[in-house]
Amino acid sequence: MPATTPATTPATPPATTSALTPVLIVGSGPTGLTLACDLARRSIGVRMIDKSADFPRSSRAKGPNPRSLEVLEDLGVVDRVLAAGSGPLPMRKYRNGRAIADTDPFESPHPTPDIPYAHGRLIAQWQLEEILRDRLAEYGVRVELGSEAVALSEGPDSVTVALADGRSIEARYVVGCDGGHSPVRKMLGVPFEGKTAEEQSMVCGDVEADGLDRGIWHQWFDEDGAVMMCPIPGTPSGWWFQAGPERDAAGGLVPPSLESFRRLFAKHTRLPAERLTRATLLSTYRVNERMADRYRVGRVFLAGDAAHVHSIAGGLGMNTGIQDAYNLGWKLARVVDGRSDPGLLDTYEEERLPVASWTLDITAERLRETLDAIRRPGGGLDSAMSADTTGLGLGHPWSSLSAPGSTPRLRAGDRAPDA
């Protein structure tokens, strides 16, 4: 592999942007990085910009599911992901501070020749992004930080993206992978219909804690709340922290902080609050269920959270975005290099928009199941998992690319078993 500068070094933007870029990706999360790696390995010119000044260190998503691991294998990084992460952990449920049940929802099935990854992998999102950035750097492409897209204008053969610093980039195609608040989607005027469930809220963050078994995903439930802590792989004392929020006297949400996390921890675990020694990347999460009504406007596409957001139950957020990117990558490559008619790009929305609709439905169902389960002694987050959340059963049999035909096991448009 060619020598490169470290992928985590902020790229210096070119002094001029007059050359036509084949594909410009806005946003450098897992969705955008998957798409960039896929295009770069196909020798398609790609640039990636992000408005952030630095790469985030957020743990956020807990890792790729079995279907995404197959994508990462195809991109040549799965061994790095497996080495950096850990396998899924058994779950210990507590009631009123007492351990009452251990379950291992990942105990079976086991890998088979046609399903080499029977389970997902726990890995902090920043670690996965770093692996994908390193892979992208091997193709000579680096993320251009501090580059905020503020306007789009489309001509007959290209799109010009204006940046906040006065520069502009002209590209044949642009893909907005810039999250649930997507500026690209807003510039396009694409509606993002749905709902926000204010009553279904939680506080989240990365914490450091002492004295807890790191081989367990701990889940403390009471009648009036919960605390859930999962160890972050590759850290000596880091944990994903999720909890039902504190509320003030007026019923409003108390902003997350180390102090509020300690109060929640002590209340629900019956352990000393001082065991939590640090809390970072604090956020309040509200369940949003929204999706764009179209994934393409001319030469501009939407992918990942820019196109759909939903409950975290089942862990499908990042994974659905990775699958969006994988679907779009080969199609853009074939059109850019002239091997396929541009009409091929219409099949991206045709195939992926129904998957987003299904994802909103299945995650809402998994959330209801989980909320019901945790009210019962012994219930926990394992209720958020199902065969559907592996991603292995998803296909596109309705697609115009799926020619009629089937075998006893497969239809056109199904996921092809590993060969």
Side-chain angles (χ1 to χ4, degrees):
M1 294 179 180
T4 63
T5 56
T8 53
T9 301
T12 301
T16 62
T17 56
S18 56
L20 184 65
T21 297
V23 180
L24 173 66
I25 299 171
V26 182
S28 64
T31 299
L33 287 166
T34 298
L35 178 59
C37 288
D38 199 14
L39 291 169
R41 70 170 175 153
R42 300 176 192 275
S43 301
I44 301 300
V46 59
R47 286 178 66 179
M48 173 175 279
I49 62 174
D50 197 292
K51 68 179 182 180
S52 299
D54 300 293
F55 295 121
R57 298 287 289 185
S58 171
S59 297
R60 298 180 64 188
K62 289 186 175 64
N65 67 10
R67 187 68 173 270
S68 292
L69 287 172
E70 293 180 355
V71 172
L72 296 170
E73 179 183 26
D74 192 38
L75 296 180
V77 297
V78 75
D79 288 344
R80 305 181 207 183
V81 173
L82 296 177
S86 73
L89 299 174
M91 299 179 179
R92 178 165 297 162
K93 289 79 169 285
Y94 302 78
R95 204 79 178 180
N96 299 319
R98 295 177 55 250
I100 60 171
D102 282 8
T103 59
D104 188 353
F106 310 101
E107 194 171 21
S108 61
H110 300 289
T112 60
D114 60 334
I115 301 178
Y117 308 105
H119 306 298
R121 198 73 175 167
L122 288 174
I123 182 172
Q125 183 169 319
W126 70 264
Q127 293 173 303
L128 177 61
E129 290 174 357
E130 192 169 79
I131 289 168
L132 289 169
R133 285 198 304 270
D134 287 344
R135 182 59 166 164
L136 191 59
E138 291 166 10
Y139 298 109
V141 181
R142 292 186 295 143
V143 179
E144 298 171 31
L145 292 174
S147 301
E148 180 180 2
V150 294
L152 300 170
S153 58
E154 182 170 343
D157 301 310
S158 65
V159 181
T160 299
V161 178
L163 305 184
D165 61 8
R167 294 181 296 128
S168 63
I169 301 173
E170 187 180 8
R172 285 184 62 183
Y173 296 98
V174 174
V175 187
C177 304
D178 49 347
H181 298 288
S182 172
V184 170
R185 186 188 66 241
K186 294 173 183 176
M187 290 179 223
L188 295 174
V190 173
F192 204 45
E193 301 294 341
K195 62 182 180 179
T196 299
E198 294 287 346
E199 71 281 2
Q200 295 172 347
S201 303
M202 68 174 63
V203 289
C204 311
D206 291 2
V207 302
E208 291 186 5
D210 300 321
L212 295 176
D213 184 346
R214 291 185 61 80
I216 297 290
W217 188 340
H218 301 271
Q219 301 168 22
W220 292 271
F221 300 107
D222 295 320
E223 295 301 320
D224 59 348
V227 164
M228 294 152 282
M229 292 179 61
C230 180
I232 302 174
T235 65
S237 56
W239 296 78
W240 281 291
F241 181 99
Q242 296 169 284
E246 286 188 307
R247 294 188 181 270
D248 58 27
L253 298 181
V254 174
S257 65
L258 175 58
E259 292 71 26
S260 69
F261 279 15
R262 281 177 162 175
R263 288 192 297 267
L264 289 165
F265 178 79
K267 176 182 177 180
H268 296 295
T269 70
R270 277 60 164 184
L271 296 171
E274 292 72 23
R275 284 206 181 176
L276 291 190
T277 56
R278 189 166 179 262
T280 59
L281 303 168
L282 310 178
S283 64
T284 298
Y285 170 80
R286 296 171 177 83
V287 174
N288 277 285
E289 296 176 354
R290 299 179 184 277
M291 61 181 287
D293 66 354
R294 55 193 184 277
Y295 280 18
R296 179 185 185 184
V297 178
R299 292 178 172 270
V300 185
F301 299 82
L302 300 173
D305 286 356
H308 44 75
V309 294
H310 42 80
S311 162
I312 60 174
L316 292 176
M318 178 186 73
N319 288 291
T320 304
I322 288 173
Q323 295 297 325
D324 286 346
Y326 194 62
N327 184 283
L328 181 58
W330 69 270
K331 296 173 181 178
L332 272 173
R334 289 190 64 92
V335 171
V336 167
D337 69 14
R339 287 181 295 156
S340 292
D341 184 272
L344 175 65
L345 297 175
D346 292 333
T347 66
Y348 168 61
E349 177 181 301
E350 177 190 357
E351 294 178 354
R352 296 305 297 173
L353 195 150
V355 170
S357 179
W358 174 88
T359 302
L360 263 67
D361 289 342
I362 191 66
T363 54
E365 174 194 299
R366 291 293 95 203
L367 179 61
R368 289 192 298 270
E369 290 284 338
T370 303
L371 292 175
D372 286 343
I374 64 178
R375 296 186 183 102
R376 303 188 300 268
L381 297 187
D382 47 322
S383 298
M385 317 295 178
S386 72
D388 290 326
T389 59
T390 66
L392 296 173
L394 285 175
H396 309 106
W398 59 83
S399 172
S400 57
L401 297 180
S402 300
S406 64
T407 71
R409 285 191 60 194
L410 295 172
R411 302 166 298 170
D414 286 350
R415 166 192 167 272
D418 191 275

